[in-house]
Every structure is written in structure tokens, then in C-alpha cells.
Amino acid sequence: MPNFSSIPNIVFDLGGVLLNINPENSVNQFKAIGLNDTTRIQHEYRENGLFDRLEKGEMSPEAFRNEIRQYIDVEVSDLEIDHAWNAMLLDFPHERLLLLQELKKTHKIYLLSNTNIIHWEHYTQKLKEIYGVELSDCFEKDYYSHDMGLRKPDTSIYNELLRTENLKAEETLFIDDMYSNVEAAREVGMIAHHLDLENGETILDLFTKN
């Protein structure tokens, strides 16, 4: 098992790496509120970039909800749509939060997440309610696709973080559970690790003390 404690800068993905997620939960919740043909949403995802536009901040939450309504035959509220959309967001294990707090004492740590304002408001509020902390307090800086107008695995998003923070790519570790995102980070010269969730790997495995 690799140990990356000696690398001075660490960039974490959020969903799957720090925050547990299950996208199937959202699919089931959308079905529960009247979305019967999920293949239409899947087509929208692949061909028209509905979720990409939301995650790049090119679409407002209101516009997103109205597009979703086109696939639901009954009247649904904003709250019902948000509840279904947020259903994929699970827990943020306390031991991961403690690890971040420890790493911040000895490293420069950052967050780089493909996310959207609806999800962001939900999980940041939950973290504050459960642990009494702001997510941003865990990092030197937290970077979100919907603020940057960029989305992983576009190499521009990595270069923007490195440039803004004046970091050397070869001294910066990037951790993500999506292999395409890891490959893109390596393209710009970063050290990158694919977190193998299918085999039960967690970030605690990467920073255990010898």
C-alpha cells in the first residue's frame, strides 16, 4: 500500500473520496416522484450535457429544475427535485474529517470537486450540522467546478489550481476515484492516485503511519 505522507501538497476529490455517494439513490428518488423513463435522462446526460452545464455553473438551479420537470408527467416542487437530486449524497465519515485536520498541520491540502450549487449547499450544511465545521476550513482552499466554469477531466482545471496556488505539479498529489480524472492530472505533471473504491480502499490507507 503506498504512503504519500512525504508529498507536501495534496489535492482531494470530494464525492467518493471524502463524501460517500450512491448515484443510484437519486435515480430511485426521481422514479419515486414520477420520472418513469430514466433512459431520457441518461440521453440528456450523454448527449446534451445537462449535468455538465450545471456542474460548470452554466445553468442555474432554477433552469436545471425546469429541465428535469420536462421528464416528469406530474407536478413536482423544487423541494422534491432537490431531495431526489441530493439523495445520492451520503455520509462524510468522521475519521476522514479527522485525517484532513491532521494533514493540514503538516501539508497544504486542497479540494477539487466536480459539483453543483444544489449539492454544495446540501453537503456543506450537513457537515456544519453534524460536526460543527465549515468544509472550507478543512483546506487551504476548496475549488468547485461550478465556480470555476471548468470540470474534470479537462486539464485546464488542474492547471488553474496549480497556477493560482503557485504549486509545482511534481510536488502535488491528486487523489480521485475516477480514473479519467487521475489520468488528466498526470498529463499536467501531477502525482496522482486512483482510489480503488471497488476493493475497499480509502484515503486512510494512503496516510497510515509506519
Side-chain angles (χ1 to χ4, degrees):
M1 186 66 66
N3 189 306
F4 295 113
S5 297
S6 62
I7 301 173
N9 313 307
I10 307 168
V11 181
F12 291 96
D13 174 42
L14 181 63
V17 174
L18 298 173
L19 176 72
N20 288 326
I21 60 172
N22 184 355
E24 191 65 23
N25 284 1
S26 285
V27 173
N28 291 334
Q29 285 298 316
F30 275 121
K31 288 179 180 178
I33 63 172
L35 179 63
N36 295 315
D37 186 3
T38 57
T39 59
R40 294 172 66 192
I41 285 290
Q42 291 167 353
H43 173 80
E44 184 70 31
Y45 177 81
R46 290 193 303 267
E47 304 297 331
N48 297 327
L50 171 61
F51 303 114
D52 281 7
R53 283 179 280 144
L54 184 66
E55 289 190 343
K56 287 182 180 179
E58 297 172 354
M59 170 181 282
S60 69
E62 293 75 20
F64 170 74
R65 295 181 189 111
N66 286 335
E67 288 217 22
I68 290 293
R69 284 189 175 94
Q70 296 179 27
Y71 302 98
I72 300 175
D73 295 331
V74 297
E75 187 174 334
V76 291
S77 67
D78 288 354
L79 188 62
E80 288 175 302
I81 292 172
D82 287 359
H83 176 73
W85 182 230
N86 289 332
M88 71 176 72
L89 307 174
L90 306 179
D91 61 313
F92 195 121
H94 191 228
E95 60 269 22
R96 297 179 193 172
L97 178 63
L98 294 176
L99 176 63
L100 293 178
Q101 292 171 338
E102 284 300 308
L103 285 172
K104 194 176 179 184
K105 296 175 184 177
T106 53
H107 297 70
K108 287 186 175 182
I109 65 172
Y110 303 87
L111 184 71
L112 183 62
S113 175
N114 284 350
T115 191
N116 60 87
I117 190 62
I118 299 173
H119 280 173
W120 180 86
E121 289 178 348
H122 180 78
Y123 57 67
T124 53
Q125 182 60 33
K126 285 293 184 183
L127 198 66
K128 189 173 182 179
E129 289 175 0
I130 295 170
Y131 300 124
V133 299
E134 297 283 353
L135 183 59
S136 58
D137 292 338
C138 299
F139 306 97
E140 297 287 329
K141 175 71 175 176
D142 43 343
Y143 287 86
Y144 302 102
S145 59
H146 67 271
D147 289 329
M148 300 175 74
L150 299 168
R151 188 178 182 275
K152 295 176 293 183
D154 185 344
T155 54
S156 298
I157 198 169
Y158 307 91
N159 285 324
E160 179 66 15
L161 185 152
L162 294 169
R163 182 193 64 78
T164 303
E165 298 298 329
N166 196 27
L167 303 177
K168 294 180 179 179
E170 64 273 16
E171 295 178 355
T172 305
L173 170 67
F174 174 71
I175 302 168
D176 201 297
D177 63 313
M178 297 291 292
Y179 196 73
S180 58
N181 296 340
V182 169
E183 286 184 315
R186 289 174 179 158
E187 284 183 28
V188 302
M190 299 172 76
I191 305 162
H193 179 78
H194 174 240
L195 198 68
D196 190 356
L197 300 183
E198 290 188 3
N199 288 315
E201 186 179 39
T202 76
I203 57 170
L204 274 69
D205 298 316
L206 307 183
F207 301 99
T208 52
K209 296 180 180 179
N210 297 321

